[in-house]
Amino acid sequence: MTSTPPELIAALARIRPDVQGMHAYAVPDSTGLLKMDAMENPYRLPPALRQTLGERLGQVAINRYPGGRADDLRAALARHAGLPAGWALMLGNGSDELIGLLALACDVPGASILAPAPSFVMYQLSAQLQGLGFHAVPLAADFALDEAAMLAAIERHGPALVYLAHPNNPTGTLWDAATIARIAAAQAARGALLVLDEAYQPFATRTWLDVARADAAAHSHVLVMRTLSKFGLAGVRVGYLMGDARLIAQIDKVRPPYNLSALNIECALFALEHADEFAAQAAAIRAQRAALLDALAAMPGVRPYPSEGNMVLARVADSGDAQADAHAAQRVFEGMRARKVLVKNVSTMHPMLAGCLRLTVGSAPENAQMLAALQDSL
Ligand SMILES: Cc1ncc(COP(=O)(O)O)c(C=O)c1O
């Protein structure tokens, strides 16, 4: 290693100390492994469609900034989602970007973000990066929302923004509709926002958009976020945020003008023209989820939790000693990796998850390989 020049030492000192103290978001190396760690769709497009897509992308004028096709994509997504009357839609380079933009848009002195825990890590990270407060409200023991605790925390902290991942990651839980309604009412009463993050909507039995469509006027403070990642385009990076047109117009001001590449846009338009193909894939994944849950439930020493997403949270160690359970889950995780299957060890993410692994629902052969690796690693 070469010595650190004084200019670099000085330059590094200009980077925020809290950022220097952070760990970077780690994407594990999956070379040679069956990738079951990130809730990706296991299915690719049929070869004929891949060929057509390639030809179509070849026609894109990549010498130009992305233009009117972004409007075409917004219109296609609005049709696809069934956008409520009076609502508008903005695009993000994945939902991750939208989560960052929401923190940026709400950054006034004293503002904070609140979410149940465990849930999607980017809610907290976006608050931290933007210098906003973050309040995590533990879920109930069965991973349902602790409504009383959520309402008390909203009352106490008055968060600008409440996030509900619906269904939740990593637990796969779909929240009780009446509880969501009361949280929405609590945020409305304080003049604050609620975001329903429906990343896993293709695999869920309910969407909150039905509530919005039934009475959009009563829900002008609620935003619904979706992504094409779990739909089958994780590599393309397209997320979208829907809400009252007046609210979306304000949030859209903090979006970089060309945040989606012309290739992302064209690829997403192509995918939406073939939405039936992706709907069939989602149906296959839902069927595989049921089979995976049955197989896990039949495995001694494993407790799977019900899921409305394309992942299953499974407890593989349950001694009641969180540290011992986390160690045991790490051993199972490593055993699976040695057998060429990469899952996500969520054991240390939250005390309630000690002893838990998160398994992506794959195709039938992938699930069989994952189950065999799990069985052999227990
Ligand atoms: C609840 C939730 N929201 C959003 C995302 C991120 O989606 P995207 O790939 O669009 O950035 C994820 C990714 O796992 C997620 O679990």
Side-chain angles (χ1 to χ4, degrees):
M1 189 77 169
T2 55
S3 66
T4 313
E7 295 83 356
L8 180 56
I9 293 172
L12 285 169
R14 295 282 180 173
I15 306 292
R16 281 164 42 178
D18 62 319
V19 170
Q20 294 194 49
M22 281 169 61
H23 292 290
Y25 187 102
V27 178
D29 182 13
S30 58
T31 316
L33 303 178
L34 174 62
K35 211 171 168 310
M36 305 296 268
D37 64 328
M39 285 81 76
E40 291 147 328
N41 177 338
Y43 304 109
R44 297 194 57 184
L45 281 175
L49 283 184
R50 275 191 243 167
Q51 174 83 21
T52 317
L53 172 61
E55 283 157 18
R56 179 121 153 222
L57 293 182
Q59 298 302 317
V60 174
I62 54 173
N63 56 318
R64 302 283 179 200
Y65 283 106
R69 290 297 268 167
D71 296 333
D72 294 342
L73 178 56
R74 288 191 302 118
L77 286 168
R79 278 194 301 277
H80 174 73
L83 193 71
W87 279 33
L89 178 156
M90 67 179 276
L91 297 172
N93 199 285
S95 294
D96 284 348
E97 183 184 46
L98 292 167
I99 293 168
L101 293 179
L102 279 165
L104 177 60
C106 294
D107 183 4
V108 298
S112 67
I113 294 177
L114 184 146
S119 189
F120 185 43
V121 292
M122 292 305 288
Y123 308 145
Q124 177 160 11
L125 189 61
S126 69
Q128 192 182 336
L129 287 176
Q130 198 60 41
L132 305 185
F134 182 77
H135 310 288
V137 181
L139 292 174
D142 59 354
F143 294 136
L145 282 175
D146 184 338
E147 182 179 323
M150 287 291 289
L151 293 175
I154 287 170
E155 185 66 30
R156 187 160 64 251
H157 302 296
L161 212 63
V162 170
Y163 274 104
L164 293 177
H166 182 253
N168 192 36
N169 169 17
T171 59
T173 329
L174 198 64
W175 314 122
D176 176 65
T179 299
I180 299 177
R182 286 188 282 272
I183 291 170
Q187 281 297 84
R190 304 193 63 93
L193 298 159
L194 170 65
V195 182
L196 285 150
D197 178 353
E198 295 200 337
Y200 299 97
Q201 177 274 329
F203 316 106
T205 48
R206 279 187 279 123
T207 165
W208 191 84
L209 266 191
D210 285 337
V211 178
R213 275 188 290 262
D215 191 357
H219 297 106
S220 55
H221 67 302
V222 184
L223 296 160
V224 179
M225 192 160 64
R226 294 235 185 124
T227 173
L228 293 184
S229 291
K230 315 301 167 180
F231 174 88
L233 302 185
V236 178
R237 311 305 297 137
V238 176
Y240 53 110
L241 185 67
M242 298 171 276
D244 186 286
R246 293 158 291 188
L247 188 54
I248 292 290
Q250 296 305 323
I251 301 165
D252 198 44
K253 291 178 185 172
V254 300
R255 180 182 56 81
Y258 304 117
N259 61 331
L260 260 68
S261 84
L263 295 173
N264 295 19
I265 292 169
E266 205 56 43
C267 195
L269 279 165
F270 180 85
L272 291 172
E273 287 162 23
H274 299 280
D276 50 345
E277 191 72 45
F278 291 90
Q281 294 180 352
I285 292 167
R286 291 193 299 268
Q288 284 306 320
R289 176 181 64 198
L292 180 63
L293 279 165
D294 286 347
L296 289 167
M299 217 179 255
V302 177
R303 177 176 174 204
Y305 291 88
S307 172
E308 295 249 2
N310 63 338
M311 82 295 265
V312 173
L313 185 72
R315 202 175 288 279
V316 297
D318 201 4
S319 70
D321 174 340
Q323 214 176 357
D325 288 345
H327 276 127
Q330 179 66 18
R331 272 198 304 278
V332 177
F333 166 80
E334 283 168 9
M336 293 182 77
R337 195 176 48 190
R339 290 167 178 86
K340 305 273 179 240
V341 178
L342 181 68
V343 297
K344 177 93 172 170
N345 179 9
V346 293
S347 256
T348 54
M349 264 180 60
H350 190 274
M352 292 176 78
L353 298 176
C356 288
L357 301 177
R358 190 190 65 198
L359 316 176
T360 299
V361 181
S363 63
E366 287 177 344
N367 292 342
Q369 189 182 337
M370 176 168 67
L371 285 163
L374 173 60
Q375 179 78 73
D376 292 348
S377 307
L378 284 171

